[in-house]
Amino acid sequence: MRINFLIDGRDYLIPMVIEEPSVVAAASNAAKMAREGGGFTTDFTAPIMIGQIQIVDVRNPESARFEILRNKAEIIEKANECDPVLLKLGGGCKDIEVRIIESMFGKMVVVHLLVDVRDAMGANAVNTMCEKVAPIVGRLAEGRPLLRILSNLAVYRIARAKAVFKKTAIGGEEVVDGVMKAYAFAEADPFRCATHNKGIMNGISALMIATGNDFRAVEAGAHGYAAIRGYKPLTKYEVDEKGDLVGTIEVPITAGIVGGATQVNPLAKICLKILGVKSSEELSRVAAALGLAQNFAALRALATEGIQRGHMELHARNIAIMAGAEGSEIDKVAELMVREGKIRIDYAREILSKLRGG
Ligand code: NAD
């Protein structure tokens, strides 16, 4: 459970499910520092998912595109027959895009259904619509519809967050400079950028798992979005006129508070209740803030003392358990390893054997 998060003027307790305890501690610490700059402000586009229909064997792709767009209203109407619940809530298929892509088999026509999925992740709703309208678009394109499935690259479902990390709150000018250089490294190098973005997802995925959401879908969307114009960091950093660090994040979040396992898994239901979000939009805003906090925490640690000390101290209990410690022995072994600065399984075994009088 992560405390300290002030997002759009509201306090949140964020549930996280993750095997690395240091991730949770780091998020909390970063949120505390962000609080001094007023917390996180967020933004969200709309819960629009893209459903793709691939049409192959099209002789005249441009004419196919024309005919599909000309009959847009009929296609949208057909798609919306699939989900009266969504429609009643103000969602449903809102628009259509037609793309012509070059492939190893020549040109293919790809139709995108833009579907407002309201508070759901929306995969099932979108896939059903794609299957339903595929015969119509196939006929209009005079081609053969093949794949009919949503895209995880949800470019119309973007969450954004911003935070000012005051230099006085984060350790001074040197830390600001260190974080900027760490960010510049990720911006310039895909090897570093992959780890930079992984750190962001440490937070976001942990929240997705806690709330019963499809974290693989969110991961795929995030990395796909990061790669849209050459693989880049999902967060950006600047220094303002006061010398404080300003962090922003922009990431697609395809998360629901209804549908999938969110209301079926009892633990997910409890986590959503603790978080207290009222819509998928609010969940996405919180996720973006958490991703930014997580990233800032990692960059700050990396640019100062390195992440291993904090990480290993929290990991010491896991190592103690791996060495065979049980009950009260776990904390004793972990504590001694941390004190000696030797957080290793061989040393854990040595301590354990001494504790047991061996
Ligand atoms: P779902 O089909 O279980 O529920 C969504 C439905 O709930 C809507 O279609 C609507 O009819 C109804 N609903 C009731 N109240 C609503 C509200 N306030 N807002 C929106 N809908 C409301 O769930 P889903 O979100 O369509 O599908 C999610 C699941 O699909 C995830 O578990 C995911 O793993 C899975 N999935 C993912 C992929 C992928 O990511 N590529 C592909 C297939 C399936």
Side-chain angles (χ1 to χ4, degrees), residues 17-246:
V17 172
I18 189 161
E19 82 293 350
E20 262 186 292
S22 59
V23 165
V24 183
S28 198
N29 197 20
K32 200 165 148 193
M33 294 180 202
R35 200 171 255 274
E36 294 198 25
F40 298 85
T41 46
T42 69
D43 184 32
F44 183 72
T45 55
I48 303 271
M49 294 296 284
I50 299 170
Q52 295 194 294
I53 305 162
Q54 173 199 25
I55 313 165
V56 296
D57 305 335
V58 181
R59 178 181 288 274
N60 298 313
E62 293 297 343
S63 151
R65 181 170 185 273
F66 177 85
E67 289 303 329
I68 293 166
L69 289 174
R70 194 170 70 85
N71 289 278
K72 187 158 117 171
E74 184 201 344
I75 299 166
I76 292 176
E77 195 183 319
K78 199 81 189 160
N80 281 333
E81 280 173 14
C82 298
D83 205 327
V85 179
L86 207 52
L87 216 61
K88 218 172 142 187
L89 293 165
C93 183
K94 301 287 184 192
D95 206 355
I96 280 174
E97 293 173 339
V98 184
R99 297 166 55 226
I100 298 167
I101 60 166
E102 291 290 347
S103 79
M104 63 176 79
F105 293 106
K107 286 189 169 144
M108 282 176 188
V109 175
V110 180
V111 178
H112 283 185
L113 301 187
L114 308 191
V115 184
D116 183 325
V117 296
R118 299 280 87 198
D119 292 318
M121 183 268 181
N124 293 319
V126 170
N127 293 344
T128 309
M129 288 183 187
C130 288
E131 291 191 5
K132 176 97 170 190
V133 304
I136 307 174
V137 293
R139 179 170 45 75
L140 290 166
E142 296 184 33
R144 187 164 58 91
L146 201 59
L147 267 58
R148 295 145 297 163
I149 180 126
L150 95 161
S151 167
N152 288 108
L153 183 52
V155 294
Y156 301 121
R157 197 174 185 175
I158 302 293
R160 299 188 180 94
K162 176 179 155 184
V164 177
F165 298 97
K166 288 194 170 290
K167 65 172 184 253
T168 46
I170 66 174
E173 257 165 49
E174 231 172 275
V175 177
V176 172
D177 186 58
V179 172
M180 284 305 293
K181 300 246 161 71
Y183 161 57
F185 183 9
E187 176 69 31
D189 177 31
F191 287 89
R192 170 60 208 150
C193 190
T195 321
H196 179 104
N197 287 339
K198 187 269 182 184
I200 294 170
M201 301 315 289
N202 273 344
I204 295 177
S205 292
L207 172 60
M208 293 303 120
I209 297 170
T211 53
N213 271 290
D214 184 341
F215 64 95
R216 289 91 53 216
V218 180
E219 293 266 354
H223 291 287
Y225 194 66
I228 222 160
R229 281 174 217 94
Y231 193 65
K232 291 290 174 193
L234 292 161
T235 51
K236 314 255 180 252
Y237 290 91
E238 292 165 336
V239 182
D240 70 10
E241 68 288 352
K242 292 183 198 137
D244 297 330
L245 188 71
V246 185

Side-chain angles (χ1 to χ4, degrees), residues 121 124 208-214 216 256-270 272:
M121 183 268 181
N124 293 319
M208 293 303 120
I209 297 170
T211 53
N213 271 290
D214 184 341
R216 289 91 53 216
I257 59 161
V258 294
T262 57
Q263 295 298 327
V264 179
N265 182 303
L267 280 176
K269 263 175 92 170
I270 293 171
L272 277 167

